[in-house]
Amino acid sequence: MLRIENLTKKYGSKAAVDDLTLHIAPGEIYGFIGHNGAGKTTTLRSVAGIQQFDTGEVFIDGVDLKRDPLECKRRMAYIPDNPDLYDYMTGMKYLNFIADIFGVDTAARKERIAELAARFELTDNLGQPIAAYSHGMKQKLAVISAWLHEPRLILMDEPFVGLDPKAAHLLKEMMRELCDRGGAIFFSTHVLEVAEKLCDKVAIIKEGRLIRSGTMEEVKGDDSLEEVFLELEAE
Amino acid sequence: MLGLLIRKQLREQYAGWFYNPKKNTARSRVATAGMILMTIVFGLGVFGGLMTALGLTLCDPMEQTGMIWLYFTIVGAIGLLLGVVGGAFSAYTNLYKGKDNDQLLALPIPPGDIIGSRIISVFLVTGMFSLIAVLPPLVVYWIKSGATFKKVAGGLLFALAISLIALVLGCLLGLVVAKVSTKLKNKSIITVLVSLLIMALYYVFYFRFQMLLQQITRDPEAFRKLEEIPGLKAFGLAGTGEWGPLLIMLAVTAVLIAVTLYLLIRSFYRIISESAQVSRVNYKVKNEAQKSTGRALLGRELKHLTSSPGYMLNAALGSVFLVLAGGAVLFKGGDLLDLLREDGGANLMDILTVVAAAALGMLSGMNTLTAPSVSLEGRSLWIVRSLPVDSWQVLKAKLGMHLLVTSVPTLFCSLCLILVIKSDIVGLLLILIFPQLCVLLFASFGLMMGVLRPNLNWTNEMVPVKQSLAVMLTMFGGMFYGVALGGLYFLVGVKIGATLYLVLASVLTAVLAVLILLWLKNRGTKRFEEL
């Protein structure tokens, strides 16, 4: 579903991501962990087609991101760590805007918005301007907008920050549902317990370089993910 | 604390001077000095040049006839007008709509310091316009009548007082708008209407004053009447350095500032809290028709525009003037045309056609919607970058918004002119086509500036809308183009005839617009993707 080959992104002379290779198969929830500034967001933004990278290749569902970025973007969705949405729109206007861009027809969008908003208990707030939303409400709206066009791959940067426990639980359920339908999730998180319970595979990045990746068992063995992570960070 | 906040405000407001978005690095000191110098040269060169010309025309005759106080009254009034017009529309947003409101209020900072730093930000706009209007005629006066300590010191204090009074008027307008808008549902539209109403009243007062001045030149009795208007003569005499009137003016200014500061500080916290509250809207499920990508992107741009009073007032005011101009042409144009026909030569209609088309084209250049539109994406830029839309579609939507908001009133004004002027078919076509080509050129030029000089890290929307390098370059670029075409007319146009000249100017405008559009489609989209 997602193939990252030798991805390198430099800011000046410093490599934020250095020769990163990762493969994510359909049905996998892939966790991406690392300390602040390790290169997680840069990787996710590069894969999402938001920022250009220097060398390497990225394939989404077999499509080359550099050759056909629009087709790649049609097949995926991205949720940033801090969802700065359009404050001047209402929640409903924003969702309709996203649906228009992805060509979701009237009946389908009506049904999906109603279902997703109800699940996140956001229906009553959809008429409000986004400027009036709390951080958690914006995060919920960003999640709904990401799921709206039924993407094959979802990239998420710290998706649980700001969500209440109920919404966080729901999001985990939705992530699993999407993967059970053959989709894939690639997300960064600092909450190692969540990663440990939720992810099929995990990758640890340090100073832009991948230092360990694989199934949860391969990465952590008999230890906890936290112990492994702290040990690797200390090296 | 106030100093810290002012430094933060200045850093943000003039980020373009210190930061190179292309290289993502800080500018060198030399480059920063160069940027500041360029801004000053542009500002002084355009507005300062006009005011110097006014000073050179009026100073000598007015001093010789004992009317020098009136010279300073006129200069002061223009300084106030420019300052208020330049700053008032952004005062509300600058004072109250910072995105860092919560962050600053959560810190142990007295609200007085927050509003104080924002008043400085308003002053940098109102003060700059006022000083550019007042200082050149002041220098002309010093040169013509001999510079003494009294004249120089008094004149500088007069200029400072004018800029401070403009600041007070701008801030009070901002306060009125804030008070009104906290109690309303359709805040954006009402804010625009209230601002336009206050501005209209100011213009009425200003034009009455201008008419009075014209009367004076014909009727000495009117001059005596003018002298009798309380405070008017003293206001003008302050500019000459007369200590009595000057001290009164400074005292009045000080009182106005104190009262304004008191009102602003007292109400700041409440206004910020009330404006953050949003009346509850219960969502009702309804079918939203599916739109094409292009229409969705255009709708997004229009939604942004109509939700921001500051954006509308500063970047789309030309549309209001175009409609007003069209109305004025319909109702008064015929009378004016009859007057001109009495004195006009054989080619009067040709010249009128050229003047009308050119004036309309330049008036449409008042709209600077595309110039700040890239910067206004701000921290939400990730959305369009992550969606399956190519960058050219995004830029086209920005152009589309400008064209829609500007072309329609321009067309209305063209039709009004056609109804009144009744030129030949070529002339009529030129009145229709040349202004539309100008609209296209200014829209694409503004967008090019927006792509080349973006500022995505603002905490107040007025920074990209009003104080960005992109907007300044677009405005001056439009003015320069108008002046250049006007100058070329006297060099070439008089020889080849007005109509042919306008045809050639139309072709040139179209070619320039196409070249810029091609740049936007190719290099512009790449630059946009690198942001």
Side-chain angles (χ1 to χ4, degrees):
Chain A
M1 180 64 68
L2 169 64
R3 223 153 43 85
I4 304 171
E5 305 282 0
N6 308 107
L7 178 77
T8 297
K9 168 70 188 173
K10 287 183 179 172
Y11 292 115
S13 59
K14 187 182 180 298
V17 181
D18 192 1
D19 201 30
L20 180 85
T21 296
L22 262 184
H23 295 173
I24 300 175
E28 283 179 352
I29 297 181
Y30 211 120
F32 198 33
I33 56 179
H35 64 82
N36 295 330
K40 301 185 298 294
T41 298
T42 303
T43 304
L44 286 166
R45 285 171 61 86
S46 299
V47 173
I50 293 172
Q51 72 183 28
Q52 292 164 344
F53 45 91
D54 299 306
T55 55
E57 288 172 309
V58 174
F59 296 90
I60 313 284
D61 210 8
V63 183
D64 186 341
L65 181 68
K66 274 195 171 162
R67 281 210 183 145
D68 196 350
L70 297 192
E71 186 49 43
C72 288
K73 288 175 185 178
R74 275 185 206 107
R75 296 173 190 217
M76 66 176 161
Y78 168 72
I79 302 173
D81 54 346
N82 194 359
D84 286 305
L85 308 175
Y86 298 135
D87 283 351
Y88 50 88
M89 288 186 183
T90 62
M92 195 62 201
K93 284 265 176 226
Y94 179 71
L95 292 176
N96 272 302
F97 168 71
I98 298 292
D100 285 332
I101 296 294
F102 281 100
V104 181
D105 67 49
T106 307
R109 79 174 63 176
K110 189 181 171 191
E111 186 192 324
R112 286 178 208 164
I113 290 173
E115 186 212 324
L116 291 163
R119 287 181 84 176
F120 278 107
E121 297 173 345
L122 203 65
T123 310
D124 290 344
N125 301 97
L126 288 180
Q128 300 285 109
I130 294 173
Y133 280 24
S134 68
H135 181 92
M137 285 159 74
K138 283 184 187 174
Q139 189 71 4
K140 287 178 184 177
L141 191 68
V143 171
I144 295 172
S145 69
W147 254 258
L148 198 53
H149 66 286
E150 298 187 333
R152 302 263 296 140
L153 170 71
I154 297 186
L155 309 169
M156 294 188 281
D157 198 355
E158 295 290 348
F160 300 105
V161 175
L163 289 182
D164 57 58
K166 199 173 168 188
H169 178 74
L170 176 61
L171 178 59
K172 287 177 217 164
E173 265 181 24
M174 287 168 59
M175 287 162 75
R176 179 50 65 198
E177 285 166 13
L178 184 126
C179 291
D180 289 347
R181 289 198 303 268
I185 302 272
F186 183 36
F187 77 105
S188 73
T189 183
H190 286 299
V191 191
L192 300 181
E193 293 81 4
V194 170
E196 199 167 346
K197 281 183 190 159
L198 190 64
C199 298
D200 303 306
K201 285 186 178 172
V202 68
I204 300 175
I205 185 172
K206 184 182 178 184
E207 292 169 0
R209 298 187 73 90
L210 191 69
I211 52 173
R212 192 170 288 188
S213 67
T215 63
M216 193 57 75
E217 288 68 33
E218 285 167 353
V219 170
K220 73 181 182 74
D222 293 332
D223 299 323
S224 71
L225 186 59
E226 188 178 27
E227 282 166 342
V228 174
F229 178 71
L230 293 174
E231 196 180 301
L232 288 168
E233 282 296 311
E235 281 174 9
Chain B
M1 189 66 77
L2 182 62
L4 268 177
L5 290 174
I6 291 171
R7 276 203 293 279
K8 177 209 86 85
Q9 199 83 11
L10 292 180
R11 274 265 157 198
E12 185 190 322
Q13 203 156 330
Y14 299 104
W17 288 354
F18 305 100
Y19 167 74
N20 184 340
K22 193 178 168 186
K23 294 182 182 165
N24 199 19
T25 53
R27 288 189 196 281
S28 67
R29 286 187 177 194
V30 176
T32 298
M35 296 293 288
I36 295 171
L37 192 69
M38 192 175 78
T39 310
I40 292 169
V41 167
F42 266 126
L44 280 180
V46 179
F47 290 118
L50 289 172
M51 290 308 292
T52 306
L54 182 82
L56 288 169
T57 314
L58 292 181
C59 188
D60 263 349
M62 286 192 137
E63 193 176 19
Q64 281 159 16
T65 49
M67 292 162 74
I68 197 65
W69 67 267
L70 190 57
Y71 173 75
F72 280 104
T73 304
I74 295 168
V75 166
I78 294 173
L80 277 178
L81 179 77
L82 274 181
V84 174
V85 170
F89 288 153
S90 59
Y92 163 61
T93 317
N94 262 327
L95 292 174
Y96 300 109
K97 302 299 278 183
K99 277 190 184 290
D100 54 356
N101 278 346
D102 289 355
Q103 200 181 343
L104 293 178
L105 285 173
L107 293 170
I109 303 172
D113 285 2
I114 302 173
I115 193 85
S117 66
R118 290 179 179 180
I119 288 171
I120 296 289
S121 166
V122 178
F123 179 71
L124 285 171
V125 181
T126 55
M128 184 186 73
F129 278 108
S130 296
L131 289 175
I132 286 175
V134 176
L135 285 177
L138 204 56
V139 173
V140 170
Y141 170 66
W142 295 337
I143 293 168
K144 295 265 181 188
S145 68
T148 61
F149 172 76
K150 184 184 150 190
K151 283 179 184 172
V152 174
L156 288 175
L157 287 170
F158 173 76
L160 179 68
I162 292 289
S163 61
L164 289 172
I165 294 170
L167 170 72
V168 163
L169 292 175
C171 288
L172 289 177
L173 178 58
L175 180 64
V176 170
V177 170
K179 289 259 185 196
V180 172
S181 73
T182 51
K183 298 185 176 15
L184 296 164
K185 255 189 171 181
N186 297 316
K187 289 181 185 180
S188 303
I189 300 298
I190 301 291
T191 303
V192 170
L193 291 177
V194 169
S195 302
L196 287 177
L197 183 70
I198 293 172
M199 220 60 236
L201 290 173
Y202 189 81
Y203 270 110
V204 168
F205 170 79
Y206 184 75
F207 282 118
R208 284 266 166 100
F209 179 66
Q210 286 282 73
M211 281 166 64
L212 201 62
L213 287 179
Q214 282 170 4
Q215 221 181 331
I216 294 160
T217 54
R218 295 191 294 264
D219 179 11
E221 186 57 30
F223 178 61
R224 269 191 292 281
K225 273 186 191 167
L226 200 65
E227 272 186 307
E228 287 164 14
I229 295 176
L232 203 63
K233 188 173 181 181
F235 176 76
L237 279 175
T240 65
E242 286 288 332
W243 290 116
L246 185 61
L247 286 174
I248 293 171
M249 187 179 181
L250 290 173
V252 170
T253 309
V255 171
L256 283 174
I257 288 175
V259 171
T260 307
L261 274 177
Y262 171 75
L263 290 173
L264 290 176
I265 292 171
R266 215 184 112 205
S267 57
F268 179 68
Y269 189 68
R270 199 176 62 247
I271 287 174
I272 294 286
S273 313
E274 284 176 8
S275 63
Q277 292 165 9
V278 178
S279 52
R280 182 100 199 148
V281 181
N282 283 327
Y283 173 68
K284 288 179 194 137
V285 181
K286 52 188 171 187
N287 280 340
E288 291 275 349
Q290 188 182 346
K291 292 193 206 87
S292 67
T293 303
R295 276 191 64 199
L297 288 168
L298 178 62
R300 180 186 76 117
E301 297 293 342
L302 290 170
K303 183 73 197 158
H304 196 166
L305 174 67
T306 53
S307 69
S308 168
Y311 191 14
M312 280 191 274
L313 286 167
N314 285 289
L317 194 62
S319 296
V320 176
F321 282 118
L322 282 163
V323 172
L324 290 177
V329 166
L330 269 187
F331 290 105
K332 293 281 179 189
D335 298 343
L336 185 67
L337 200 63
D338 291 342
L339 267 177
L340 288 171
R341 277 202 184 106
E342 285 173 18
D343 310 321
N347 56 352
L348 172 73
M349 293 316 287
D350 273 4
I351 292 170
L352 261 185
T353 304
V354 173
V355 170
L360 191 48
M362 294 309 121
L363 189 58
S364 72
M366 273 186 75
N367 278 3
T368 54
L369 286 151
T370 47
S373 64
V374 174
S375 299
L376 283 173
E377 295 279 354
R379 292 183 190 106
S380 310
L381 182 66
W382 70 270
I383 299 175
V384 282
R385 297 288 301 113
S386 68
L387 293 175
V389 289
D390 72 41
S391 303
W392 177 229
Q393 281 179 299
V394 178
L395 296 184
K396 266 198 305 188
K398 294 180 189 302
L399 282 171
M401 168 191 58
H402 186 113
L403 297 180
L404 199 65
V405 173
T406 316
S407 283
V408 176
T410 304
L411 181 66
F412 167 74
C413 205
S414 288
L415 293 173
C416 294
L417 280 167
I418 286 171
L419 282 174
V420 172
I421 290 183
K422 297 187 180 75
S423 178
D424 59 25
I425 187 72
V426 179
L428 296 184
L429 279 174
L430 285 172
I431 291 176
L432 269 179
I433 294 167
F434 179 73
Q436 294 295 336
L437 289 172
C438 286
V439 173
L440 182 65
L441 176 66
F442 295 144
S444 45
F445 180 69
L447 189 55
M448 183 167 83
M449 292 298 112
V451 171
L452 286 172
R453 295 274 168 240
N455 169 16
L456 299 167
N457 299 311
W458 41 266
T459 51
N460 190 314
E461 214 170 50
M462 277 305 98
V463 171
V465 168
K466 199 166 176 71
Q467 291 143 9
S468 68
L469 200 60
V471 171
M472 195 183 76
L473 290 172
T474 304
M475 279 173 60
F476 287 132
M479 283 180 198
F480 175 78
Y481 189 65
V483 170
L485 279 186
L488 267 177
Y489 176 74
F490 289 107
L491 284 174
V492 185
V494 285
K495 291 175 193 156
I496 61 173
T499 308
L500 180 60
Y501 180 76
L502 196 56
V503 171
L504 292 175
S506 300
V507 172
L508 176 70
T509 308
V511 169
L512 286 174
V514 169
L515 287 175
I516 295 175
L517 286 171
L518 284 173
W519 183 91
L520 282 168
K521 193 175 177 188
N522 298 304
R523 299 191 63 181
T525 50
K526 286 198 179 75
R527 288 291 294 264
F528 184 71
E529 282 159 15
E530 287 163 7
L531 297 178

